[in-house]
């Protein structure tokens, strides 16, 4: 965690990885974003409140809109349109969650049933389409082409990333470059867009720096996410979930380990990928192999490099509360445990 | 067919319902639209040519881009951007087809296997998202907010229409107003947008008239589509397909018949809607009942009223080849047999 710590030293106070502290400088506006989301989503569907109510309960931590609001405030002059823009960023995020769950046939997200599980697959597909097209309607209402351009590009990138993942033929030949391209498209592009759009609405001179910050933060975010799949305890079992392995998803820890593992270990990994429903023991074995061959350390250090790059991108921003909070967001991303 | 015939009398020549004649005034530009589509869809996915190739083969008759190009040409001064805009309209149409097939689990469209059937459900969802977000990217590239506003609104309407259909609880209480709202959202909104966007790119003074024309044409289009389900012979069986009834979809002919049918007939209809897989005989019985109680005639006459409205919307446009072709498009819509 050297990078965020160093970066944090630039701020007046010690860096904090607590989300509520990161959100403190934009707390009130974040509530307005939530109200805006409520308005946008519910307005059109009085007949299916059950769905929209559930959807809004999925909105979770509002990390992306937080980034948008903070980015818009780094010069102390956030524009009012940062609020609808932040809501649109979250709408697009929700749309992708709904479609991802539908594509993966996921039944749970953050411990809650997915739209997919609660209603039908059909409703998931159309609900995602509704959310995305509604986001575009709202962007048009804001009336500036620049945020539209950023978000359209990011969402298109995200679909290309998903498609890459779906059409990857031989999982075990998935390279580090493939992985970088995938997480760039599927995660970093939206975090980058969230920050760049914020910059457009109040900190235009820092647009490029904030876009770069969001991109690096997004890369770190996804690497940590993928690491947690190897290291975090599932609350019920106390064992790592290994869900990605179960679903034959190859992420950075395994990619690195496969470069060094010897024949017997490789054979175990191959066995897991050949079984349509690998059991817990096999998954635990592969997690052990990945750890033994340095996969977790390697992924961690790459995550930290991205965190350093994110901190570096902030280095020329004005020293404001918002800038300090963006620096804290790096700590938050790196220290997440779930 | 009185309406289009009367409308056609305004043109120099007799009205034609032949698509190739309707497309004649914009033939070359339509080829450019096809090339543009090819460029847009293929560029990003070299790795999945199989999918994009198949997708482009779905593009079919290019009716919507034809409307865009014709609308842009009614004053004889179509702008070059009408071409990318027409391509975007078709992209959005393709996106909705891909998701509709995924939602309906359809395996065939126009006699060809769907993306859904050929590849996977997952790929359908993401491919639809790709197409729609790519359409927004292209619209942003064209750089004018007006077409974006029109298309964003139309696509959002379409999702609301689909959602209405999916969440309709009691099919047999589906009213004519419900039906109008549904076909407005799911079909007429995009045809209206296609025409309005064309007007924006070359015939701005007629924007409202062309939007109205497209809307009325779209209503007629969907009514005829729904009628064909009752009347057109499936090529293999020589009997009406009755696919909507098989899937418990209530359209205008049945809505009308249900207002007049007596108890025994109603019981037959209710039996069909209670059976998850009604057999051919039951479907044929219900088709007979719908015909007996005037459902087909009623739907036909409502379709003709919309056709008259569409012709009326054209009445103040300049008398150009493009205007005549738009008038012919009404005949084409009303005379379709498949």
């Amino acid at each position: 965690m050297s990078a965020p710590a160093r970066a944090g030293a630039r701020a007046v106070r010690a860096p904090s990885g607590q989300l509520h502290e990161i959100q403190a400088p934009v707390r009130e506006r974040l509530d307005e974003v939530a109200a805006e989301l409520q308005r946008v989503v519910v307005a059109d569907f009085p007949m299916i409140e059950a769905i929209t109510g559930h959807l809004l309960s999925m909105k979770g931590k509002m990390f992306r809109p937080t980034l948008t609001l903070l980015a818009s405030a780094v010069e102390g002059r956030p524009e009012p349109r940062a609020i609808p823009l932040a809501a649109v960023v979250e709408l697009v995020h929700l749309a992708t969650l709904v479609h991802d769950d539908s594509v993966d046939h996921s039944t749970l997200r953050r411990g809650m049933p997915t739209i997919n599980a609660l209603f039908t697959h059909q409703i998931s597909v159309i609900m995602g389409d509704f959310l995305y097209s509604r986001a575009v309607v709202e962007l048009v209402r804001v009336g500036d082409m620049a945020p539209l351009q950023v978000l359209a590009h990011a969402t298109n990138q995200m679909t290309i990333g998903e498609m890459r993942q779906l059409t990857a033929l031989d999982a075990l030949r998935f390279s580090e470059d493939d992985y970088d391209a995938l997480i760039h498209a599927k995660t970093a592009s939206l975090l980058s867009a969230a920050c760049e759009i914020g910059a457009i609405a109040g900190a235009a001179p820092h647009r490029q720096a904030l876009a770069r910050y969001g991109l690096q933060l997004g890369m770190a975010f996804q690497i940590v996410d993928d690491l947690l799949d190897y290291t975090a305890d599932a609350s019920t079992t106390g064992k790592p979930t290994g869900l990605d392995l179960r679903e034959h998803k190859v992420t950075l820890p395994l990619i690195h380990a496969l470069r060094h593992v010897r024949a017997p270990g490789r054979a175990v990994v191959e066995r897991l990928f050949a079984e349509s429903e690998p059991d817990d023991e096999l998954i635990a074995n592969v997690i052990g192999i990945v750890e033994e061959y340095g996969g977790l350390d390697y992924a961690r250090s790459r995550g930290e490099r991205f965190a350093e790059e994110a901190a570096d991108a902030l280095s020329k921003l004005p020293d404001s509360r918002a800038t300090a909070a963006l620096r804290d967001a790096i700590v938050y991303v790196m220290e997440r445990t779930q």
Side-chain angles (χ1 to χ4, degrees), chain A:
Chain A
M1 287 301 308
S2 59
R6 268 208 308 280
R10 291 173 45 90
V12 181
R13 56 187 174 63
S16 163
Q18 298 291 310
L19 191 60
H20 66 93
E21 289 191 30
I22 294 165
Q23 292 177 330
V26 292
R27 185 70 262 167
E28 273 180 36
R29 269 173 294 148
L30 210 47
D31 292 342
E32 288 181 61
V33 171
E36 177 83 4
L37 269 174
Q38 176 90 20
R39 185 187 66 73
V40 165
V41 173
V42 173
D44 278 300
F45 281 129
M47 70 292 229
I48 42 165
E49 280 172 36
I51 301 176
T52 53
H54 179 74
L55 197 74
L56 288 170
S57 73
M58 281 173 65
K59 73 178 185 307
K61 303 170 192 154
M62 301 271 272
F63 185 56
R64 290 157 190 78
T66 300
L67 292 177
T68 304
L69 294 178
L70 288 173
S72 79
V74 294
E75 290 206 315
R77 289 190 300 274
E79 296 175 16
R81 63 180 171 144
I83 289 161
L85 289 173
V88 161
V89 168
E90 185 68 8
L91 268 182
V92 168
H93 177 55
L94 282 175
T96 61
L97 291 187
V98 170
H99 277 186
D100 283 358
D101 287 342
S102 166
V103 162
D104 292 344
H105 298 288
S106 303
T107 53
L108 284 177
R109 172 175 297 271
R110 297 186 193 130
M112 287 179 49
T114 60
I115 295 270
N116 206 39
L118 263 190
F119 304 97
T120 63
H121 159 66
Q122 283 98 321
I123 287 184
S124 298
V125 174
I126 302 303
M127 195 69 203
D129 290 351
F130 167 76
L131 291 170
Y132 184 57
S133 57
R134 200 69 172 78
V136 178
V137 168
E138 290 302 305
L139 279 169
V140 168
R141 214 169 53 87
V142 172
D144 179 4
M145 200 56 100
L148 248 167
Q149 183 171 29
V150 171
L151 210 64
H153 183 73
T155 49
N156 195 238
Q157 282 292 105
M158 288 164 86
T159 62
I160 294 174
E162 273 278 334
M163 196 61 106
R164 270 219 181 87
Q165 194 159 31
L166 284 172
T167 57
L169 291 178
D170 183 352
L172 292 183
R173 294 183 63 179
F174 200 66
S175 72
E176 188 160 347
D177 282 348
D178 293 336
Y179 175 79
D180 285 354
L182 175 67
I183 69 172
H184 182 150
K186 111 177 166 168
T187 307
S189 64
L190 187 57
L191 266 70
S192 178
C195 295
E196 186 170 0
I197 286 170
I200 290 167
H206 307 294
R207 180 170 164 181
Q208 218 181 338
L210 284 162
R212 186 163 82 84
Y213 160 80
L215 189 71
Q216 306 294 332
L217 186 72
M219 297 296 283
F221 186 99
Q222 190 57 52
I223 288 175
V224 169
D225 225 52
D226 293 339
L227 257 170
L228 285 172
D229 204 67
Y230 279 87
T231 60
D233 296 349
S235 55
T236 46
T237 62
K239 282 187 273 182
T241 56
L243 193 64
D244 287 341
L245 285 175
R246 201 178 298 274
E247 294 176 349
H248 296 167
K249 281 183 187 161
V250 176
T251 61
L252 190 52
L254 181 58
I255 289 170
H256 180 79
L258 281 173
R259 284 192 288 236
H260 301 284
V261 71
R262 319 251 167 114
R266 191 176 180 96
V268 176
V269 176
E270 281 172 357
R271 188 148 61 82
L272 184 149
F273 279 80
E275 285 190 13
S276 64
E277 292 184 14
D279 62 25
D280 289 351
E281 195 192 330
L282 185 51
I283 290 171
N285 283 346
V286 171
I287 290 177
I289 290 166
V290 166
E291 191 165 9
E292 184 186 342
Y293 287 92
L296 305 186
D297 292 339
Y298 180 79
R300 184 87 211 160
S301 78
R302 272 213 78 197
E304 283 175 5
R305 279 219 298 286
F306 282 115
E308 284 174 40
E309 292 283 336
D312 183 65
L314 296 178
S315 63
K316 289 186 183 130
L317 295 191
D319 239 335
S320 61
R321 268 187 88 194
T323 306
L326 288 173
R327 213 170 282 125
D328 289 349
I330 306 172
V331 183
Y332 165 70
V333 161
M334 295 306 293
E335 289 184 352
R336 272 184 316 145
T337 53
Q338 58 173 327

